[in-house]
Amino acid sequence: MTELPLPSRAVAVPKDLLATISEQAEKADARFEAFYTMEMPRVSAFLMNLGASPYEAADATHEAFVKLLPDKWQCLEHPGAYLRKVAFRNYLRQTNSRTVPTDPVPDRPGGTCPVDLVILTGEQQQMLGLLATLPPAEREAMAWNLDGFSHEETAQILGKNPAAVRQAHKRARARLISALGLKKGATTSE
């Protein structure tokens, strides 16, 4: 193996430039920490809407965050959408022998377990049960919609036709309304 020759003369880097670079790195770390704190529970809930257990969701989401490190997330136009797509793929790749761990999920640095950040109410748990009854395309369309993405955005992210996503969402919504025993035209009294 051939070694590269050493530079003939060392380059001096001004201290103020090193300080500026260090400050920028700290700011980038702080922005990523804020992004992580905001998106971790949201992406975990998104995956749970798609059928993942809290542990599976946390594991798949963490793997997706690893793919965003160190600075890739800043270069993406829609890092939240990318994160959800990668997390969902990670969830689908998980082994068929899915088991619930007997030990608690280890805390991340800072002392908070990300699974604890996803707190589900009784209504949300009921909704997860109802979402589990939907066909995959309808469930996927509903999960993206529940996470705040439009039909057009969802279609673009998934590489599908917007009309197909809109139709799947419409069918899913009709099934959920029927399952909940709600009337389509019902008005709420305020």
Side-chain angles (χ1 to χ4, degrees):
M1 181 161 113
T2 309
E3 292 184 25
L4 296 174
L6 294 173
S8 59
R9 153 174 82 112
V11 177
V13 178
K15 289 184 180 180
D16 60 334
L17 179 61
L18 287 175
T20 303
I21 292 171
S22 176
E23 288 174 17
Q24 289 176 348
E26 288 175 14
K27 286 179 183 178
D29 288 345
R31 285 192 306 268
F32 186 78
E33 178 66 27
F35 179 71
Y36 176 90
T37 302
M38 181 178 72
E39 289 294 323
M40 179 62 196
R42 293 175 69 199
V43 175
S44 294
F46 169 75
L47 290 178
M48 290 168 63
N49 285 338
L50 289 168
S53 73
Y55 296 103
E56 293 167 337
D59 187 41
T61 304
H62 278 290
E63 286 181 45
F65 269 107
V66 167
K67 290 183 181 181
L68 287 176
L69 292 174
D71 295 323
K72 184 175 184 177
W73 74 280
Q74 294 178 359
C75 302
L76 297 171
E77 188 174 341
H78 302 288
Y82 174 85
L83 183 64
R84 283 160 179 77
K85 191 171 184 178
V86 171
F88 183 58
R89 287 181 181 165
N90 291 341
Y91 165 64
L92 292 177
R93 281 191 207 114
Q94 290 175 352
T95 63
N96 289 337
S97 61
R98 295 181 178 169
T99 58
V100 177
T102 55
D103 295 334
V105 176
D107 288 345
R108 66 183 178 96
T112 59
C113 177
V115 173
D116 292 338
L117 297 176
V118 181
I119 300 170
L120 300 177
T121 65
E123 291 174 348
Q124 290 171 322
Q125 291 175 350
Q126 180 187 10
M127 183 57 76
L128 286 177
L130 291 173
L131 287 172
T133 64
L134 296 176
E138 293 176 15
R139 185 175 188 162
E140 186 175 50
M142 184 57 75
W144 282 94
N145 185 267
L146 288 172
D147 211 33
F149 289 85
S150 71
H151 301 308
E152 290 74 22
E153 291 171 327
T154 301
Q156 183 180 7
I157 292 164
L158 299 176
K160 293 183 176 182
N161 185 333
V165 172
R166 192 175 300 108
Q167 184 65 28
H169 179 263
K170 182 179 177 181
R171 278 186 257 132
R173 187 165 181 221
R175 286 181 202 252
L176 292 175
I177 287 171
S178 174
L180 290 170
L182 302 174
K183 294 181 182 179
K184 268 191 172 178
T187 58
T188 58
S189 59
E190 294 181 35

